[in-house]
Amino acid sequence: MTYDFDRYLRYDELTKWLHETAAAHPELMTVESYGKSYEGRDLWLATLTDASTGAHGTKPAHWVDANIHSVEVTAGVAALSIIDRLVNGFGTDPLVSRALRSRTFYIVPRVNPDGVEWVLADSPQRRRSSTRPWPWRDAHRAPGLHERDIDGDGRILTMRIPDPNGAWMVSAEDPRIMCAVPTEGTDADTVRYRLMYEGDIVDHDGFTVPTPHPPEGLDMNRNFPSGWGTTVLGSGDHPLSEPEIDALVRAIVNRPNVCGYNAFHTSGGVLLRPSSTRRDSAVAPLDIWVWTELGKRGTELTGYTVHSVYEDFTFDKSETMSGAADDWVYEHLGIFGWTTEFWDVVHAATGTKQSTHFWYTGPTEAEELAVLRWADEHNLEEMCVPWYPFAHEQLGAVELGGWNDMCTWTNPPLSLLQAEVQGHADFAIHQALAAPELEIVHNAAVALGDDMWRVEVGIANTGWLPTYVSRKARKDRMVLPVAAHLAGATVAVGTARQELGQLGGRSGMRFSQRHDGTPDRALVSWVVRAPAGTAVTITAEHQRAGTVVCDLVLGA
């Protein structure tokens, strides 16, 4: 199946592309179901590594998932583009080849297939996350406005309704744009409007139009264990109450070699890092430094700026965005998590980044006009729809039109989709190669006489990060130590298995004032009894830094 990353794949197409790609590259990629969605769809996980250099679980790994939020479909395209970059770059691109030989990539292109199917349907329905009705007590169509494609054109636009007390009026700069009525009001001749999403009015009383939350009110990115709370909108019945999140958490925990994490979302054109609930001063300073260093390369590769969720993106510090995936992987696993928010239409149009509070305040009239002029210059007619009349069943004569959010504010126009996700595959590769990596860099067998030998190996962490990955993980003892095991000869003194603690990485050496020492190395030895010519095998392993094996012939 040919896919040029210029459209959004429905679930069956996504499934076909994943399995066909794996079949075309069996030495690099496998696909498995790690669970079922609420509606019973398989949740697909792609595992990518060079199988000839070891199984996926024996190498440090980087995890990427996408589309936990249904309308954020650019995210899924970006995840698939990483797969494409890896399988097609192997053997020709030295960086990709090195990454796949020494690392593993776990990629979930669609955490929430049910919600995405609703969004991509011929007659779409937009929900934040799952299609499961929640909370149960509100699992009905409450009185008021319910979003729907009422004219069957495959879009959910805006309804504008004439109202002398409305908060909106037509912009003097362009009739397609609505602007806020000034604080002091307007003269009697100005036509004013109310604006509402396209949809039906349930139990309309002829005067009021409530805007209830939809029956499907979940936000699955508030369902993770870290910081979960009942006061957070859409958080679910309890942590991991949603099958998609329960399965995702179990899949990650069952792969303890994961050293880094990235969740793909839209929008904003930014790389967000934890914490969502605490100031930077409450996070380990060296962990903030690592995020900053990784983020510098991320900005170089993608153009996206780096921000703390709490410090920069939380509008009301008393209402934090807890229960999110990137917080969970840091707080509970001690690995560095990111949330990538694709696409900043204001930046595309003006060259200036949108406000970090854009999610709350929305665009200014000047920003809307700039985006509209940019769309006109680039013949992107689909972004803004001129107003047209429609006979609404409950409201009577209204107009439909305005911004087509699916290809404007939330996602880019399809013609720009491929360009928008480029660079993020290389950032994933960069993060993967920053992981700790065990190597056996020295081995020797010294004869002691009477078939006695001292066997020693030097084990090194040649990765950038320490074996424990983060200071958070080290402080809270989240990670098991490096261990070495000898087989093939009788150990005369001590035990065959020895624990060596944790090994530092090059990142920590930045703080040694250029006097490194060897915090990244450990020397382990055994006294064994065996005749000359005996082959012994030494295995060094660490849950995050991988497994390496050395064969040594005594007396050779």
Side-chain angles (χ1 to χ4, degrees), residues 6 37 51 121-122 124 159 183 200 257 272 279 303 322 368 371 373 406 417 455 460 471 473 520:
D6 56 356
S37 70
D122 293 339
M159 300 190 298
T183 304
D200 298 314
N257 56 322
L272 301 182
R279 292 191 177 280
S322 58
E368 289 197 62
V371 171
R373 293 188 186 107
M406 281 296 292
L417 186 56
V455 177
R471 291 285 171 158
D520 57 323

Side-chain angles (χ1 to χ4, degrees), residues 461-474:
N461 170 23
T462 60
W464 187 70
L465 289 171
T467 54
Y468 50 83
V469 174
S470 72
R471 291 285 171 158
K472 171 70 173 174
R474 181 177 184 176

Side-chain angles (χ1 to χ4, degrees), residues 213-468:
H213 291 295
E216 305 82 16
L218 284 159
D219 184 341
M220 291 194 288
N221 202 35
R222 304 292 177 266
N223 194 231
F224 289 86
S226 178
W228 184 91
T230 58
T231 61
V232 181
L233 185 65
S235 60
D237 301 315
H238 55 78
L240 311 184
S241 62
E242 305 316 300
E244 296 88 349
I245 306 308
D246 181 73
L248 188 75
V249 164
R250 292 177 187 277
I252 295 173
V253 170
N254 287 337
R255 291 161 178 80
N257 56 322
V258 172
C259 299
Y261 174 86
N262 201 325
F264 283 178
H265 292 243
T266 68
S267 60
V270 289
L271 304 172
L272 301 182
R273 62 159 176 81
S275 171
S276 300
T277 60
R278 297 185 294 158
R279 292 191 177 280
D280 282 358
S281 59
V283 180
L286 285 179
D287 287 348
I288 296 292
W289 180 85
V290 168
W291 264 307
T292 301
E293 290 299 298
L294 292 172
K296 288 177 183 177
R297 185 59 175 151
T299 299
E300 291 173 359
L301 292 168
T302 68
Y304 287 14
T305 51
V306 174
H307 299 272
S308 156
V309 176
Y310 183 89
E311 299 285 4
D312 301 333
F313 266 73
T314 301
F315 188 64
D316 182 349
K317 297 293 193 287
S318 68
E319 296 184 6
T320 57
M321 295 182 283
S322 58
D326 53 2
D327 277 1
W328 169 69
V329 298
Y330 178 67
E331 296 290 343
H332 288 200
L333 303 180
I335 62 178
F336 294 103
W338 294 91
T339 293
T340 298
E341 298 282 354
F342 288 91
W343 183 238
D344 177 355
V345 68
V346 173
H347 183 259
T350 68
T352 300
K353 295 292 293 182
Q354 66 185 37
S355 165
T356 55
H357 293 154
F358 190 87
W359 295 345
Y360 304 92
T361 62
T364 64
E365 181 184 3
E367 287 172 332
E368 289 197 62
L369 288 167
V371 171
L372 186 58
R373 293 188 186 107
W374 175 79
D376 290 342
E377 290 170 4
H378 292 83
N379 299 312
L380 300 170
E381 300 175 349
E382 68 274 23
M383 292 178 65
C384 191
V385 179
W387 300 95
Y388 60 94
F390 181 77
H392 193 280
E393 184 175 352
Q394 294 86 29
L395 298 175
V398 302
E399 292 177 280
L400 301 179
W403 294 109
N404 182 359
D405 187 56
M406 281 296 292
C407 62
T408 303
W409 305 104
T410 304
N411 299 286
L414 292 179
S415 59
L416 303 179
L417 186 56
Q418 186 178 40
E420 186 64 27
V421 302
Q422 285 181 347
H424 294 271
D426 284 342
F427 185 37
I429 293 169
H430 173 75
Q431 293 178 85
L433 289 172
E437 180 183 13
L438 283 192
E439 290 188 31
I440 294 176
V441 296
H442 163 74
N443 66 79
V446 179
L448 302 178
D450 296 328
D451 287 340
M452 300 288 284
W453 308 82
R454 185 178 75 249
V455 177
E456 63 180 33
V457 295
I459 300 168
N461 170 23
T462 60
W464 187 70
L465 289 171
T467 54
Y468 50 83

